[in-house]
Every structure is written in structure tokens, then in C-alpha cells.
Amino acid sequence: MSRNYAQMVEEIYPTMVEWRRDFHKFAESGWVEFRTASIVASKLSEWGYEVKVGKEVVDHNSRMGVPPQSVLEMHEKRALEQGAKEEWLPYLSGGYTGVVGVLDTGKPGPTVGLRFDMDALDIQESNAEDHFPVSQAFQSVNSGMMHSCGHDAHTSIGLGLAKLLTGMKEELTGKIKLIFQPAEEGVRGAKSMVEAGVVDDVDLFIAAHVGTGVPLGEVICGSNGFLSTTKLNVEFSGKAAHAGAKPEEGKNALLAAASAVLGLQSIPRHSGGASRVNVGVLQAGSGRNIIPQHAHLKVETRGINTEVNEFMLESAKNVLNGAASMYGVDVEYDIVGEARTSDSSEELIEFMHDSIGNVTGVHSIVKSSSFAAGSEDATYMMARVKENGGLATYSILGTTLAAGHHNEKFDIDETVMKIGVESFLHILTSVKNRQWG
């Protein structure tokens, strides 16, 4: 029986819009996606998926940049007050906010994994009247947290797809794993799901992102060029003293940090390709007449590949250690985020390109594009799948944006969610017609 996928998607689209706006209104950033994850788990369970959550899919030792326990507890309590599904919270408690839904068709075929990230950013959403979420009353109610990158849409695409797939088993083969990932922002979450074995059985892996400057109606089947990156929190510890009476008794952590900032910007570049280093935060001192005892930096390095990023990281550590030594203070650094680089598999790019030619609203299909700018921790999942002999790709679903990503007035054209779901339906139902490997 031939189904009209466009009609199926059109019928569920209003519900997807409701989900997206609900997630947007109750935005939750990395490792505190208690409400979001509990709703996802509840719906997947209701629809008959095998659901794995929490420590089953998030490795404790591989998590990075996890908030303090007091912060986790505060946000879990808030999530419950805001409508989280209480029966799922014990599994998510402590910030283990990953969810995986598995649909086993009972027929031979590859295991296909699709990644949907759920987290918001730590940014205050605009309250301007011309901001669409404000005018439509779904502006984030959680102070300092906003979906300004489209992950609310990603989660809703995943749920829309999950709902439709439950009635399509006869058209599918193998297994489908829907991976709802926490803490993509700051590249903190994917590694822990990889180390928990989530993608070890995946033969074909697809991650996707809405927007990124690509126009509505254009789909890029494989995006390459994500930079390898490392995120560092740096603490300089000195000794406070009276700045007028006894300055020589102090050890100035602020001066060490300031010297480090300038030194980091002077790291020589690597001939292997593009590299980046940035200090996004410098906090130090407590008063104008006190030698600063503490200083805090938030630093990131990036490289076109792992080798270049490792060069930048080791150089950065040398600068930090040198600055500390110069001013007689101590320095400690903690890795709070990490991502690799991993190019998309040509065979999977070709397959995706061939599968989505008739998707409603798609007017341009680009096989692959390369750039060197941002980073994505889905590359951990891509790399593991390819290491195990599978294929992986990272695709872009273009959409009109009200403002750039990570901006307080970011918003999307929600019709991109229809394109996403219909594209995945065509891909998943075409898998059985392909001879793999």
C-alpha cells in the first residue's frame, strides 16, 4: 500500500507546532532537560517504543560540564512544577537526561539511528513585541534559558516522526533508534551517550539541524567541516592583600588571567588547517583596594581536525601554566566540553539525496557542503558508527530565521518541521530497497 506521507505529516503538523512551542516556553539548558526528557520518554512509551533513559543511555564518567547538584535539584523541582512527567523523573534525576526509543520491526535490516538534541541555551530571550514567541505567548518563562538554536524544533521533529512510524511497521525493516540527546550546547552530551553504547549497534546514523543560514526548502544531505573543539574552565588562585598597605604580600590572580588572555591570542597557528582560540569570560577581583585572589576564565580551542585542536589545546595549557608561574599563583583547568571532527559518508549522502526528491516543500537538494566554523558533538556518534563499519551523515534542513543562532530574537519558520519529518519517512521506508555495504 502506498501512503501519502505529505498528508500524514500535514495532519500531525498542528500537534508538532504545539509541542515545539511548549518546549520553547519551558526551555531547559544542558543536563537539566528534566521536563523535556520526561515528556519525550512518556510519549515514546505510550506509543509502544522500547524506552531507555537516564544511566542506561548516559555514562556517568563521560559527562562534561554538569551543573552542581544543588542546581540540578532546583531545576528538577521546577520541572515538576511546570508539568514534567513525574513517573520518569527518578530515572533522569541527577542530570541523566538522555532518552532513546527503539522500534523493532521484527524484520531483517540495518539499525538506523537518528539524533535529536533537546537542550536550550543560557541566554535571556527578547521580550520585544515584534518577537513572534512574545506575540504568540510562548516566550521562555525560564529566566536565562532560551531555545535560540532550534533544538525545540528538533525534539518535535523526533516526536512527530516517532508517532507516525508506529503505524508503519509493515513498510519498515530492521530497527529504528530515536536518540534524544541532552547537552549539545557546549558539546557536552554526545560523548556520554556514545560511551554508554547507544550507537554501538547502529549501521546508519543521521543527525540534522534546522537553519544555519540555509534557506527554507533547501536540504543539505551531508555537512562536513565541523571543527574539533575543547572547552575549558580555568581557575587562577592567588593571595589577597591590601593593595595600598601591603601589595607585595599579595599574589595577583587577575594579572595572571589577563596575561593568559593576551598570550592565548598569540598562539602560533598550525599548518594543518584552520584553528581557533577564544576567551569568552574573564571574572576576577572583589574590590578596588584588594589584590585579586581568584580569577576565572572560560576558554575554547578549535581545529580543523583532532591534530590541530590538540596542538591548540596543549599550547593553551602552556600559556596558562606560564602565566600562573609568572605571577606566583596556582592554576587549574577542567575540560567541560569536547567534540571531534567527522565527515559524512558519501554512500549515505547519495542515499539520502535519492530518497527525498519528492518531499513536499523541498526545492533544492545539495549533496554536501564544507565549512569551517562551528562544532557539533554529534560527530562523536558519527565517528563511533563509522569505526564500527557503519555509515553516518549530518544534514541541514534550511529554514527562514528571524535572527541568527544564539541570538535573543532567534526564531524559525515552523514549516521546516514538516520537511524534516517527511524527509525521514522517505529515508526510513527506502532503506529496505538498498543493498548496503
Side-chain angles (χ1 to χ4, degrees):
M1 180 181 69
S2 177
R3 292 179 185 263
N4 186 331
Y5 296 150
Q7 182 179 342
M8 293 167 57
V9 173
E10 196 66 47
E11 289 172 359
I12 199 174
Y13 176 62
T15 303
M16 292 169 60
V17 170
E18 290 179 11
W19 289 333
R20 182 252 163 173
R21 296 185 182 185
D22 177 73
F23 294 139
H24 190 98
K25 185 172 184 177
F26 299 101
E28 299 171 303
S29 59
W31 300 124
V32 300
E33 308 95 330
F34 298 108
R35 182 183 184 276
T36 306
S38 73
I39 291 172
V40 168
S42 177
K43 291 188 181 299
L44 292 175
S45 178
E46 176 189 339
W47 297 333
Y49 283 77
E50 177 190 356
V51 180
K52 299 182 178 182
V53 298
K55 293 180 181 179
E56 286 185 288
V57 295
V58 175
D59 178 64
H60 171 79
N61 293 325
S62 303
R63 293 191 303 168
M64 294 178 284
V66 181
Q69 184 62 30
S70 59
V71 174
L72 294 171
E73 291 173 357
M74 176 183 69
H75 287 299
E76 184 177 346
K77 180 176 182 292
R78 184 188 68 183
L80 186 59
E81 294 169 352
Q82 292 180 340
K85 301 300 181 182
E86 186 172 4
E87 65 272 24
W88 291 98
L89 286 179
Y91 302 100
L92 307 170
S93 188
Y96 298 92
T97 44
V99 182
V100 176
V102 181
L103 183 67
D104 188 347
T105 69
K107 291 176 282 187
T111 296
V112 183
L114 298 105
R115 194 289 304 260
F116 307 97
D117 38 10
M118 300 182 291
D119 57 322
L121 280 142
D122 294 321
I123 183 173
Q124 184 64 41
E125 185 162 12
S126 170
N127 59 9
E129 292 182 4
D130 63 346
H131 183 45
F132 187 71
V134 172
S135 67
Q136 299 300 307
F138 66 95
Q139 173 191 16
S140 176
V141 298
N142 292 335
S143 178
M145 293 184 182
M146 175 197 173
H147 275 291
S148 56
C149 200
H151 298 185
D152 48 351
H154 298 171
T155 305
S156 302
I157 289 170
L159 287 178
L161 178 66
K163 175 64 173 174
L164 293 179
L165 289 175
T166 57
M168 297 174 58
K169 272 193 174 184
E170 72 278 7
E171 300 170 54
L172 303 168
T173 57
K175 291 183 181 180
I176 298 167
K177 298 186 82 167
L178 304 178
I179 302 164
F180 292 85
Q181 181 201 315
E184 187 283 322
E185 300 295 352
V187 290
R188 296 174 288 161
K191 183 179 181 180
S192 66
M193 297 193 85
V194 168
E195 295 305 321
V198 166
V199 297
D200 282 353
D201 63 340
V202 171
D203 302 298
L204 308 174
F205 176 82
I206 302 173
H209 206 297
V210 300
T212 72
V214 177
L216 181 67
E218 181 172 305
V219 175
I220 300 175
C221 300
S223 289
N224 299 322
F226 286 115
L227 300 178
S228 177
T229 186
T230 304
K231 317 296 186 185
L232 298 168
N233 282 349
V234 183
E235 303 291 339
F236 288 97
S237 300
K239 180 181 178 182
H242 193 293
K246 293 285 185 177
E248 71 279 5
E249 293 182 358
K251 294 183 178 181
N252 198 317
L254 187 156
L255 283 179
S259 178
V261 171
L262 296 177
L264 289 167
Q265 299 301 324
S266 302
I267 294 174
R269 294 304 186 247
H270 195 288
S271 63
S275 61
R276 307 279 192 274
V277 64
N278 187 56
V279 180
V281 173
L282 191 168
Q283 296 171 329
S286 57
R288 73 180 72 249
N289 60 346
I290 304 168
I291 300 296
Q293 181 180 8
H294 298 292
H296 173 73
L297 300 180
K298 291 186 177 182
V299 181
E300 67 171 20
T301 62
R302 301 184 197 245
I304 192 65
N305 54 39
T306 302
E307 179 187 1
V308 173
N309 183 58
E310 284 296 323
F311 168 81
M312 295 299 293
L313 177 60
E314 291 306 311
S315 297
K317 290 179 179 178
N318 289 338
V319 169
L320 295 169
N321 291 331
S325 177
M326 185 162 54
Y327 288 95
V329 303
D330 296 324
V331 63
E332 294 182 353
Y333 26 83
D334 182 29
I335 294 177
V336 295
E338 216 168 27
R340 304 173 66 174
T341 184
S342 184
D343 286 345
S344 297
S345 303
E346 287 297 328
E347 185 179 351
L348 191 52
I349 290 174
E350 290 285 347
F351 170 70
M352 184 172 176
H353 179 270
D354 295 344
S355 301
I356 64 174
N358 295 320
V359 171
T360 307
V362 174
H363 59 71
S364 175
I365 305 174
V366 179
K367 285 188 177 181
S368 62
S369 69
S370 295
F371 58 92
S375 304
E376 233 292 0
D377 69 351
T379 52
Y380 268 112
M381 297 184 180
M382 294 172 67
R384 177 63 64 88
V385 170
K386 292 194 295 181
E387 286 165 5
N388 290 339
L391 305 174
T393 191
Y394 192 99
S395 59
I396 303 296
L397 306 169
T399 185
T400 306
L401 301 179
H405 290 264
H406 298 204
N407 183 283
E408 69 274 8
K409 296 188 77 173
F410 176 89
D411 194 35
I412 65 168
D413 185 327
E414 292 169 323
T415 57
V416 68
M417 296 192 294
K418 291 193 284 189
I419 291 174
V421 173
E422 189 179 344
S423 295
F424 289 136
L425 288 179
H426 280 277
I427 290 166
L428 291 171
T429 53
S430 298
V431 165
K432 64 179 180 291
N433 300 321
R434 183 91 168 204
Q435 189 67 38
W436 297 99

